[in-house]
Amino acid sequence: NAGVTQTPKFQVLKTGQSMTLQCAQDMNHEYMSWYRQDPGMGLRLIHYSVGAGITDQGEVPNGYNVSRSTTEDFPLRLLSAAPSQTSVYFCASRTDSRLGYTFGSGTRLTVV
Amino acid sequence: DAKTTQPNSMESNEEEPVHLPCNHSTISGTDYIHWYRQLPSQGPEYVIHGLTSNVNNRMASLAIAEDRKSSTLILHRATLRDAAVYYCILRDHSGSARQLTFGSGTQLTVLP
């Protein structure tokens, strides 16, 4: 099992560019989430999904889109990158609500 | 989700036990107490969780006060690899869409 795989690990974007952060899990987990972590801060929820075809907004959804066409994949799209979106992005998944989440190793994004 | 309060930082000597406190005075009856840790430059890692009774696993023990308004994560013999930010999080398992709400956590430093 690879767990939760995030790509790329590092990315530099120019203001206004768009890109997609990839997240894939091979554990057949229903629940998947995207978080962002700014320097010295805890993680904040961007979007989440409770199963294929179902997504919802978290605490800080503006500027981001998600879709969940398969159980395995949960990509995060930045529509028009802004310097305020410079952050480390983590994807997480879980199965049963009584169990813990598995996190990916993160994507470090810099917007210049 | 109910709020948790943790010390910003703690120090411990290597091979000694560490007790990481968490206050959650507004915890509801259906909130589970979850602990995650985040090693430098990595995603968060699930440690342990419990509802009312003390819990043990291979990583740590969780001691929950009788009134559930506080809890303590216990690392029985700290190693240098345990240096991380430790997050205490309350999560209601009855809501299937409930995600994790991270605070700022406790930065644990382990001294050799």
Side-chain angles (χ1 to χ4, degrees):
Chain A
N1 279 352
V4 177
T5 302
Q6 292 185 237
T7 55
K9 293 191 182 304
F10 301 94
Q11 183 70 49
V12 179
L13 287 180
K14 293 183 179 179
T15 297
Q17 286 185 317
S18 63
M19 80 158 294
T20 298
L21 279 62
Q22 302 292 342
C23 176
Q25 51 91 9
D26 60 359
M27 299 171 284
N28 202 32
H29 285 176
E30 290 182 358
Y31 303 94
M32 297 186 73
S33 312
W34 276 103
Y35 292 84
R36 61 177 285 176
Q37 185 173 34
D38 299 328
M41 307 282 287
L43 282 73
R44 291 184 294 169
L45 181 66
I46 305 172
H47 285 285
Y48 64 95
S49 169
V50 300
I54 306 169
T55 63
D56 206 345
Q57 297 181 350
E59 179 186 356
V60 288
N62 291 341
Y64 307 95
N65 272 357
V66 292
S67 60
R68 185 94 179 273
S69 56
T70 67
T71 299
E72 295 78 19
D73 299 299
F74 191 42
L76 178 72
R77 279 181 284 277
L78 278 70
L79 308 173
S80 177
S84 61
Q85 293 179 304
T86 294
S87 190
V88 181
Y89 291 83
F90 292 101
C91 179
S93 73
R94 68 168 172 86
T95 177
D96 192 289
S97 64
R98 294 165 294 177
L99 301 178
Y101 281 79
T102 299
F103 281 80
S105 57
T107 294
R108 186 174 297 275
L109 175 68
T110 302
V111 183
V112 298
Chain B
D1 291 315
K3 183 178 170 61
T4 62
T5 303
Q6 300 177 252
N8 289 334
S9 62
M10 291 185 64
E11 279 187 357
S12 172
N13 293 320
E14 195 176 10
E15 298 188 3
E16 290 187 356
V18 182
H19 291 236
L20 297 163
C22 181
N23 288 321
H24 29 79
S25 59
T26 60
I27 190 171
S28 74
T30 53
D31 282 333
Y32 281 71
I33 302 158
H34 284 247
W35 283 84
Y36 284 75
R37 72 179 186 180
Q38 187 174 21
L39 279 65
S41 300
Q42 293 189 26
E45 175 186 28
Y46 168 79
V47 177
I48 200 167
H49 77 278
L51 182 62
T52 56
S53 304
N54 294 346
V55 184
N56 301 295
N57 65 21
R58 63 175 179 82
M59 292 182 69
S61 294
L62 176 60
I64 302 172
E66 195 169 335
D67 63 5
R68 300 207 331 122
K69 294 183 185 300
S70 65
S71 61
T72 302
L73 180 70
I74 302 166
L75 307 179
H76 295 287
R77 283 182 77 240
T79 69
L80 296 178
R81 292 180 59 186
D82 291 322
V85 178
Y86 286 78
Y87 296 99
C88 170
I89 300 168
L90 303 183
R91 190 163 75 84
D92 184 345
H93 287 198
S94 65
S96 63
R98 293 294 185 125
Q99 307 299 310
L100 299 173
T101 301
F102 286 81
S104 54
T106 296
Q107 174 69 62
L108 175 66
T109 300
V110 180
L111 304 173

